[in-house]
Amino acid sequence: MTETMRAIQLNGPNDFEYTRVPVPEVGPFEVLCRVESVAICGTDPHIIAGDYPGFWPKEFPLIPGHEWSGVIEKLDEKAYEFGWREKDRVCGISHVGCGYCSMCLEGRYNLCLNFGNEKLGHRQHGHYTPGAYAQYMLSSIKSIAKIPDTMSFNAGACMDPFSIALHMTMRSKLQPGDSVLVNGSGAQGLMGIMCAKSMGAGTVIVSGSGNRLKVAETLGAIPIDYRKEDVPARVRELTGGLGAKRILECSGTERGIQQACASVAKGGCISMVSLPPGDGNITIPLKQLVLNEIDLAGNRANPNTLEKAIALAESNRFDIDSLVTHEFPLSEYRRALDIFVGRKEHSLKVMCKPNM
Ligand SMILES: [Zn+2]
Ligand SMILES: [Zn+2]
């Protein structure tokens, strides 16, 4: 008889249940981890709603969840040879590249040319291969990193989005002293502020609203309430008329992206992590972007930034835990999701505990 575990299983669009599924078997270069914390990501409600048919997931059922931390319980001997041990405290990311294609060899395994080809070893946990809304999570050693004893499991589960924020900030080519506009004050924006500050940004401005904007201010960013103020005008005012040299675009709205275009300094960069709604075909002032030599950087996930993010979070002593506003046992996932999606009770990162 195979062992079973509790998990959230998605059986179709908007149709999920808290149920029992088999505990996965460990394969070559893999570890089986007891999941201690798993955070709800902004992508999860879209996956659950069936917004990416035939892609995330390719087929049902799926166990979603990809922002997780936990402890290694079982491991393959090849994983052992690579230095992993039982009881190691780890956190994970979703992408597992094939490891052999030219994109993987360049280190850009988030753009693996064999995306979706499980035979060649590609995985994307919680997107089309099993994820972390479960008591146990099977992961390739390519997609985990150790977390220090001083880091909580909740903070560890935030290292996936934090390493995405870091990738976005690095891709903005931020130089010491550069002015930065963080567009959006959700979790990704707040983490972007932390990354920009720790990488030596000068003036950091944030455009957002509500309680999240207040949190952004406590992190040392100058707040602009986009609902009440003219964002580009205010950014120019705060940057001596120049505009922000680096923009971290986390708003994901047409208006937000247009405001980013209107707020960027000559020779600057707009580094984008958010996906605009629908097909994403929006109007931007391309002529102005060309003439001002604006770099547009798209960012997908977190290639090679997980360990960097952990080190940065540790050395800068950011209070990552303070971004975690809610904690639920996995059995209360429906409620957790409702609070997260509705941004209820000033929620930011909502954490589930599969083994609570
Ligand atoms: Zn995520
Ligand atoms: Zn590849």
Side-chain angles (χ1 to χ4, degrees), residues 41-43 66-67 160-161 164:
C41 170
T43 311
H66 60 273
E67 300 184 355
D160 171 77
I164 293 173

Side-chain angles (χ1 to χ4, degrees), residues 54-282:
F55 183 64
W56 290 340
K58 289 195 279 185
E59 56 193 11
F60 296 100
L62 172 81
I63 298 172
H66 60 273
E67 300 184 355
W68 66 278
S69 65
V71 176
I72 296 179
E73 284 249 331
K74 267 189 207 163
L75 71 170
D76 161 70
E77 69 186 58
K78 291 198 171 83
Y80 186 90
E81 286 301 317
F82 270 96
W84 299 95
R85 295 290 180 269
E86 278 173 24
K87 307 249 181 312
D88 279 351
R89 300 170 85 248
V90 298
C91 64
I93 57 172
S94 74
H95 280 267
V96 187
C98 76
Y100 294 93
C101 74
S102 57
M103 281 291 106
C104 280
L105 290 173
E106 270 183 38
R108 305 182 76 174
Y109 56 87
N110 54 330
L111 306 177
C112 176
L113 297 178
N114 294 307
F115 188 96
N117 191 333
E118 286 173 73
K119 242 197 222 160
L120 294 180
H122 187 274
R123 305 275 186 278
Q124 196 177 7
H125 299 308
H127 290 71
Y128 80 90
T129 53
Y133 288 140
Q135 284 181 288
Y136 296 95
M137 167 78 194
L138 184 69
S139 177
S140 162
I141 57 171
K142 287 178 193 163
S143 309
I144 55 170
K146 286 183 194 175
I147 55 172
D149 290 340
T150 46
M151 182 177 277
S152 70
F153 284 115
N154 282 355
C158 291
M159 288 302 106
D160 171 77
F162 191 70
S163 55
I164 293 173
L166 181 58
H167 179 55
M168 162 181 66
T169 312
M170 288 168 70
R171 295 252 302 159
S172 80
K173 300 182 191 153
L174 174 66
Q175 299 294 308
D178 278 350
S179 56
V180 175
L181 168 66
V182 178
N183 227 4
S185 56
Q188 201 53 231
L190 297 174
M191 290 175 179
I193 294 170
M194 291 175 175
C195 290
K197 287 249 166 203
S198 66
M199 286 175 67
T203 304
V204 177
I205 306 162
V206 57
S207 161
S209 69
N211 184 65
R212 297 164 170 219
L213 190 59
K214 287 195 195 110
V215 178
E217 197 175 359
T218 64
L219 295 173
I222 303 169
I224 302 178
D225 188 332
Y226 73 85
R227 289 182 181 158
K228 296 176 190 152
E229 295 172 89
D230 179 340
V231 177
R234 187 80 182 104
V235 170
R236 297 213 176 257
E237 209 175 289
L238 291 164
T239 53
L242 298 173
K245 200 69 194 268
R246 314 287 157 196
I247 298 192
L248 308 180
E249 167 29 51
C250 318
S251 78
T253 64
E254 180 161 13
R255 183 153 170 251
I257 293 166
Q258 287 166 344
Q259 283 174 340
C261 294
S263 305
V264 66
K266 285 188 175 182
C269 177
I270 303 172
S271 191
M272 295 172 282
V273 76
S274 57
L275 285 176
D279 57 11
N281 294 339
I282 62 169

